[in-house]
Amino acid sequence: MMKRLVAVAVACATIVMLGVLAFSEPGESSAEVRLTRQLDGSMVLAERGGDAPVLDVYEDFDCPVCKEMHAKVDPTIQRLARAGKVKVVFHAVTIFRDEPMRSNSVRAAAAARCVPEASWLAFRDELYAIQPAPHGVASGFTVEELVQAARKAGAQVDACVRGQSYADSHLAETAKVRLEGTPTLLLDGKLLGNEAFDPEALERAITGGGGVTV
């Protein structure tokens, strides 16, 4: 019995360590970098205890321009976060009022809240990969599509996704946010312009090499 308990403890410790290492890359930062969910549903990717500048990313998963930004600069954003050079706060919002975009957005964002931290970034990639098109016409992000996307990202959250358990919470938090559109990136509270789509310019803005365009 004692041997079994020891084996279980070792296995759990290994899982915890893998969860930490998943957000660290050799040669970048020796500190602990984690992805954590906040009470409002936002996701924070940052070095624990670090004092890096804060990059707030407001995105609507049904927004084609958000998908474009994701493709262009997300690798840079994540690399800088893992290096401890920036604290990234991902905010999923619903910016659209018209259908089918609004319902598409709500279903996707509610599903994202179901997905645990360890699978969330991969699920975000899957959402952009299956974004409904053409925009403004296509209905998509069905609950079954979202269930499969979550499974592909490594999360078994079928009941939560199908029940849209977090739809109301998502809409309540979205109502608190005042945005002109998405994507919106704020660096230490300052609105970014074209840097949001240029990985080199964004890195310069974050690391202090080129200032911020408002």
Side-chain angles (χ1 to χ4, degrees):
M1 183 66 177
M2 182 59 69
K3 289 183 178 179
R4 183 179 178 184
L5 290 174
V6 171
V8 170
V10 170
C12 291
T14 301
I15 290 171
V16 171
M17 183 58 69
L18 288 174
V20 173
L21 293 177
F23 297 107
S24 302
E25 293 185 4
E28 289 192 345
S29 175
S30 58
E32 182 180 324
V33 177
R34 298 181 65 90
L35 181 70
T36 55
R37 177 175 277 113
Q38 308 304 295
L39 291 177
D40 64 358
S42 62
M43 304 295 289
V44 178
L45 180 62
E47 178 181 293
R48 177 172 287 186
D51 58 354
V54 178
L55 180 69
D56 287 285
V57 178
Y58 292 88
E59 57 190 343
D60 187 317
F61 294 127
D62 197 56
C63 164
V65 186
C66 296
K67 180 177 180 177
E68 177 188 355
M69 182 199 70
H70 177 79
K72 289 182 176 179
V73 301
D74 192 63
T76 297
I77 290 173
Q78 291 199 38
R79 173 173 55 80
L80 293 174
R82 292 186 173 107
K85 295 181 180 179
V86 69
K87 174 183 178 180
V88 186
V89 186
F90 298 100
H91 306 266
V93 297
T94 292
I95 198 71
F96 300 111
R97 296 181 180 274
D98 297 330
E99 296 295 348
M101 299 92 75
R102 181 175 175 79
S103 293
N104 290 345
S105 171
V106 171
R107 283 192 299 274
R113 288 223 196 179
C114 295
V115 175
E117 288 99 329
S119 301
W120 190 86
L121 288 171
F123 182 67
R124 179 169 171 257
D125 290 340
E126 292 298 326
L127 288 179
Y128 281 123
I130 64 171
Q131 186 183 85
H135 177 70
V137 176
S139 293
F141 288 145
T142 67
V143 290
E144 289 308 316
E145 288 174 336
L146 295 167
V147 164
Q148 293 305 316
R151 289 181 180 179
K152 191 172 180 180
Q156 293 279 352
V157 287
D158 302 15
C160 181
V161 172
R162 290 193 177 108
Q164 287 286 280
S165 303
Y166 291 101
D168 289 342
S169 298
H170 165 71
L171 287 172
E173 292 299 333
T174 287
K176 300 175 184 178
V177 179
R178 296 290 180 263
L179 294 174
E180 301 249 335
T182 53
T184 293
L185 270 66
L186 303 176
L187 182 60
D188 281 341
K190 295 181 180 179
L191 179 66
L192 293 180
N194 292 332
E195 303 98 326
F197 297 88
D198 184 329
E200 293 183 0
L202 181 59
E203 183 164 359
R204 286 197 300 271
I206 289 171
T207 58
V212 176
T213 300
V214 177

PDB file of all heavy atoms in Angstrom, residues 126-140:
ATOM      1  N   GLU A 126      -7.558  26.369 -32.161  1.00  0.00           N
ATOM      2  CA  GLU A 126      -8.601  25.613 -32.861  1.00  0.00           C
ATOM      3  C   GLU A 126      -9.791  26.504 -33.220  1.00  0.00           C
ATOM      4  O   GLU A 126     -10.371  26.371 -34.305  1.00  0.00           O
ATOM      5  CB  GLU A 126      -9.088  24.444 -31.992  1.00  0.00           C
ATOM      6  CG  GLU A 126      -8.055  23.348 -31.783  1.00  0.00           C
ATOM      7  CD  GLU A 126      -7.639  22.681 -33.078  1.00  0.00           C
ATOM      8  OE1 GLU A 126      -8.485  22.547 -33.985  1.00  0.00           O
ATOM      9  OE2 GLU A 126      -6.456  22.319 -33.186  1.00  0.00           O
ATOM     10  N   LEU A 127     -10.156  27.420 -32.336  1.00  0.00           N
ATOM     11  CA  LEU A 127     -11.271  28.316 -32.619  1.00  0.00           C
ATOM     12  C   LEU A 127     -11.004  29.158 -33.857  1.00  0.00           C
ATOM     13  O   LEU A 127     -11.873  29.293 -34.730  1.00  0.00           O
ATOM     14  CB  LEU A 127     -11.540  29.227 -31.412  1.00  0.00           C
ATOM     15  CG  LEU A 127     -12.180  28.581 -30.191  1.00  0.00           C
ATOM     16  CD1 LEU A 127     -12.352  29.604 -29.077  1.00  0.00           C
ATOM     17  CD2 LEU A 127     -13.528  27.953 -30.537  1.00  0.00           C
ATOM     18  N   TYR A 128      -9.822  29.712 -33.934  1.00  0.00           N
ATOM     19  CA  TYR A 128      -9.518  30.523 -35.110  1.00  0.00           C
ATOM     20  C   TYR A 128      -9.442  29.667 -36.368  1.00  0.00           C
ATOM     21  O   TYR A 128      -9.794  30.116 -37.463  1.00  0.00           O
ATOM     22  CB  TYR A 128      -8.232  31.321 -34.895  1.00  0.00           C
ATOM     23  CG  TYR A 128      -8.451  32.547 -34.038  1.00  0.00           C
ATOM     24  CD1 TYR A 128      -7.737  32.746 -32.864  1.00  0.00           C
ATOM     25  CD2 TYR A 128      -9.402  33.499 -34.396  1.00  0.00           C
ATOM     26  CE1 TYR A 128      -7.953  33.872 -32.073  1.00  0.00           C
ATOM     27  CE2 TYR A 128      -9.624  34.622 -33.608  1.00  0.00           C
ATOM     28  CZ  TYR A 128      -8.889  34.807 -32.456  1.00  0.00           C
ATOM     29  OH  TYR A 128      -9.116  35.917 -31.674  1.00  0.00           O
ATOM     30  N   ALA A 129      -9.018  28.436 -36.212  1.00  0.00           N
ATOM     31  CA  ALA A 129      -8.927  27.539 -37.365  1.00  0.00           C
ATOM     32  C   ALA A 129     -10.304  27.202 -37.932  1.00  0.00           C
ATOM     33  O   ALA A 129     -10.444  26.977 -39.144  1.00  0.00           O
ATOM     34  CB  ALA A 129      -8.185  26.261 -36.983  1.00  0.00           C
ATOM     35  N   ILE A 130     -11.335  27.164 -37.073  1.00  0.00           N
ATOM     36  CA  ILE A 130     -12.671  26.786 -37.542  1.00  0.00           C
ATOM     37  C   ILE A 130     -13.625  27.987 -37.546  1.00  0.00           C
ATOM     38  O   ILE A 130     -14.840  27.823 -37.573  1.00  0.00           O
ATOM     39  CB  ILE A 130     -13.274  25.648 -36.690  1.00  0.00           C
ATOM     40  CG1 ILE A 130     -13.499  26.096 -35.241  1.00  0.00           C
ATOM     41  CG2 ILE A 130     -12.402  24.405 -36.739  1.00  0.00           C
ATOM     42  CD1 ILE A 130     -14.283  25.094 -34.397  1.00  0.00           C
ATOM     43  N   GLN A 131     -13.081  29.180 -37.534  1.00  0.00           N
ATOM     44  CA  GLN A 131     -13.920  30.384 -37.527  1.00  0.00           C
ATOM     45  C   GLN A 131     -14.911  30.361 -38.692  1.00  0.00           C
ATOM     46  O   GLN A 131     -14.526  30.114 -39.835  1.00  0.00           O
ATOM     47  CB  GLN A 131     -13.049  31.632 -37.621  1.00  0.00           C
ATOM     48  CG  GLN A 131     -13.818  32.934 -37.467  1.00  0.00           C
ATOM     49  CD  GLN A 131     -12.920  34.147 -37.632  1.00  0.00           C
ATOM     50  OE1 GLN A 131     -12.677  34.591 -38.752  1.00  0.00           O
ATOM     51  NE2 GLN A 131     -12.402  34.676 -36.517  1.00  0.00           N
ATOM     52  N   PRO A 132     -16.197  30.631 -38.431  1.00  0.00           N
ATOM     53  CA  PRO A 132     -17.203  30.594 -39.495  1.00  0.00           C
ATOM     54  C   PRO A 132     -16.908  31.586 -40.613  1.00  0.00           C
ATOM     55  O   PRO A 132     -16.498  32.719 -40.363  1.00  0.00           O
ATOM     56  CB  PRO A 132     -18.498  30.972 -38.767  1.00  0.00           C
ATOM     57  CG  PRO A 132     -18.251  30.625 -37.339  1.00  0.00           C
ATOM     58  CD  PRO A 132     -16.795  30.892 -37.103  1.00  0.00           C
ATOM     59  N   ALA A 133     -17.088  31.150 -41.844  1.00  0.00           N
ATOM     60  CA  ALA A 133     -16.852  32.008 -43.008  1.00  0.00           C
ATOM     61  C   ALA A 133     -17.862  31.636 -44.094  1.00  0.00           C
ATOM     62  O   ALA A 133     -18.254  30.469 -44.200  1.00  0.00           O
ATOM     63  CB  ALA A 133     -15.421  31.839 -43.508  1.00  0.00           C
ATOM     64  N   PRO A 134     -18.307  32.637 -44.880  1.00  0.00           N
ATOM     65  CA  PRO A 134     -17.898  34.045 -44.840  1.00  0.00           C
ATOM     66  C   PRO A 134     -18.487  34.791 -43.650  1.00  0.00           C
ATOM     67  O   PRO A 134     -19.597  34.494 -43.206  1.00  0.00           O
ATOM     68  CB  PRO A 134     -18.421  34.603 -46.164  1.00  0.00           C
ATOM     69  CG  PRO A 134     -19.592  33.739 -46.493  1.00  0.00           C
ATOM     70  CD  PRO A 134     -19.230  32.360 -46.008  1.00  0.00           C
ATOM     71  N   HIS A 135     -17.712  35.742 -43.168  1.00  0.00           N
ATOM     72  CA  HIS A 135     -18.120  36.513 -42.004  1.00  0.00           C
ATOM     73  C   HIS A 135     -19.410  37.279 -42.296  1.00  0.00           C
ATOM     74  O   HIS A 135     -19.593  37.847 -43.365  1.00  0.00           O
ATOM     75  CB  HIS A 135     -17.015  37.498 -41.627  1.00  0.00           C
ATOM     76  CG  HIS A 135     -17.365  38.388 -40.473  1.00  0.00           C
ATOM     77  ND1 HIS A 135     -17.473  37.917 -39.195  1.00  0.00           N
ATOM     78  CD2 HIS A 135     -17.650  39.715 -40.421  1.00  0.00           C
ATOM     79  CE1 HIS A 135     -17.794  38.909 -38.390  1.00  0.00           C
ATOM     80  NE2 HIS A 135     -17.910  40.008 -39.101  1.00  0.00           N
ATOM     81  N   GLY A 136     -20.292  37.278 -41.315  1.00  0.00           N
ATOM     82  CA  GLY A 136     -21.539  38.001 -41.445  1.00  0.00           C
ATOM     83  C   GLY A 136     -22.641  37.197 -42.099  1.00  0.00           C
ATOM     84  O   GLY A 136     -23.795  37.627 -42.129  1.00  0.00           O
ATOM     85  N   VAL A 137     -22.290  36.040 -42.627  1.00  0.00           N
ATOM     86  CA  VAL A 137     -23.261  35.201 -43.320  1.00  0.00           C
ATOM     87  C   VAL A 137     -23.352  33.822 -42.690  1.00  0.00           C
ATOM     88  O   VAL A 137     -24.442  33.300 -42.451  1.00  0.00           O
ATOM     89  CB  VAL A 137     -22.902  35.062 -44.817  1.00  0.00           C
ATOM     90  CG1 VAL A 137     -23.872  34.109 -45.506  1.00  0.00           C
ATOM     91  CG2 VAL A 137     -22.890  36.426 -45.492  1.00  0.00           C
ATOM     92  N   ALA A 138     -22.195  33.244 -42.401  1.00  0.00           N
ATOM     93  CA  ALA A 138     -22.152  31.849 -41.954  1.00  0.00           C
ATOM     94  C   ALA A 138     -22.417  31.706 -40.461  1.00  0.00           C
ATOM     95  O   ALA A 138     -21.867  32.434 -39.636  1.00  0.00           O
ATOM     96  CB  ALA A 138     -20.789  31.248 -42.284  1.00  0.00           C
ATOM     97  N   SER A 139     -23.282  30.772 -40.127  1.00  0.00           N
ATOM     98  CA  SER A 139     -23.432  30.331 -38.744  1.00  0.00           C
ATOM     99  C   SER A 139     -22.394  29.243 -38.499  1.00  0.00           C
ATOM    100  O   SER A 139     -22.085  28.456 -39.394  1.00  0.00           O
ATOM    101  CB  SER A 139     -24.831  29.769 -38.493  1.00  0.00           C
ATOM    102  OG  SER A 139     -25.798  30.778 -38.583  1.00  0.00           O
ATOM    103  N   GLY A 140     -21.848  29.217 -37.307  1.00  0.00           N
ATOM    104  CA  GLY A 140     -20.818  28.230 -37.004  1.00  0.00           C
ATOM    105  C   GLY A 140     -20.538  28.179 -35.524  1.00  0.00           C
ATOM    106  O   GLY A 140     -21.323  28.681 -34.725  1.00  0.00           O
TER     107      GLY A 140
END
